[in-house]
Amino acid sequence: PAGATARIGRAPKRYRASNVNLEVTIPERRYDLVGEILLDAIARTAAGETPADAVARIAHDRGRELGVAARGDRNLGRLGPERATTILVELLTDLGFEPTSTGDRIVQRNCPFYRLAQRSSELVCGINQRFVDGLLDGLQARRLRADLDPADGRCCVVIART
């Protein structure tokens, strides 16, 4: 502090509060993503639209936006199922889903919305499915689809070839 006299030994450490938020979860959780989808749905519910329908629409739109951005960033042309699967796995990995290919399906070993899915699996898993479906639409991965396939120990959304 100003005006303090010198002391023998090391100078005391001084700390200041930071505006940086740091959160670490293992496995990765993305409550910010589902929170943004829910807030946007509340703010943009159309006249005559149910809140659940607004959430589904916004989740699909958010996924589609990410898929379109990935297409633009990578200058993707027409995607066959193998290349679409590779790109989708990369995107889902970045989002914390921990996808793994098993034959003709992609199983997601982690649900980034796990705690919320435990409270309301129908709503949260529906958001997740619509989000991944939008991601596929944005990528124009027409030969892949996002299905709900609930199981213990993994995400309820599985991607399959059509």
Side-chain angles (χ1 to χ4, degrees):
T5 59
R7 300 169 67 183
I8 298 175
R10 291 185 183 179
K13 293 183 178 165
R14 297 182 185 147
Y15 298 95
R16 185 176 322 141
S18 171
N19 291 331
V20 175
N21 290 324
L22 178 65
E23 185 175 329
V24 177
T25 57
I26 300 173
E28 185 175 0
R29 304 293 187 217
R30 291 294 306 268
Y31 300 114
D32 58 327
L33 177 60
V34 75
E36 289 170 5
I37 289 169
L38 291 169
L39 286 175
D40 288 348
I42 290 168
R44 295 193 234 156
T45 300
E49 186 177 36
T50 68
D53 289 341
V55 168
R57 178 178 51 81
I58 295 296
H60 185 271
D61 290 351
R62 180 64 55 92
R64 189 179 62 241
E65 289 168 8
L66 289 174
V68 167
R71 280 192 70 78
D73 292 346
R74 299 171 186 229
N75 294 319
L76 299 174
R78 186 174 172 177
L79 291 177
E82 291 82 17
R83 184 138 188 250
T85 298
T86 301
I87 293 166
L88 182 65
V89 165
E90 290 173 11
L91 293 173
L92 292 173
T93 298
D94 291 345
L95 292 167
F97 283 95
E98 296 182 15
T100 185
S101 294
T102 58
D104 61 346
R105 296 176 4 144
I106 299 172
V107 175
Q108 302 176 97
R109 294 175 294 182
N110 179 45
C111 176
F113 320 129
Y114 177 77
R115 207 172 32 210
L116 295 175
Q118 298 304 302
R119 279 187 74 181
S120 180
S121 61
E122 186 176 329
L123 176 64
V124 175
C125 293
I127 291 170
N128 195 349
Q129 189 268 336
R130 292 293 293 155
F131 174 78
V132 175
D133 188 52
L135 193 57
L136 293 170
D137 281 352
L139 287 172
Q140 296 177 13
R142 304 202 192 318
R143 300 199 38 209
L144 299 174
R145 71 174 187 274
D147 295 329
L148 283 177
D149 183 17
D152 290 336
R154 68 168 171 77
C155 178
C156 60
V157 178
V158 173
I159 295 92
R161 289 189 184 185
T162 56

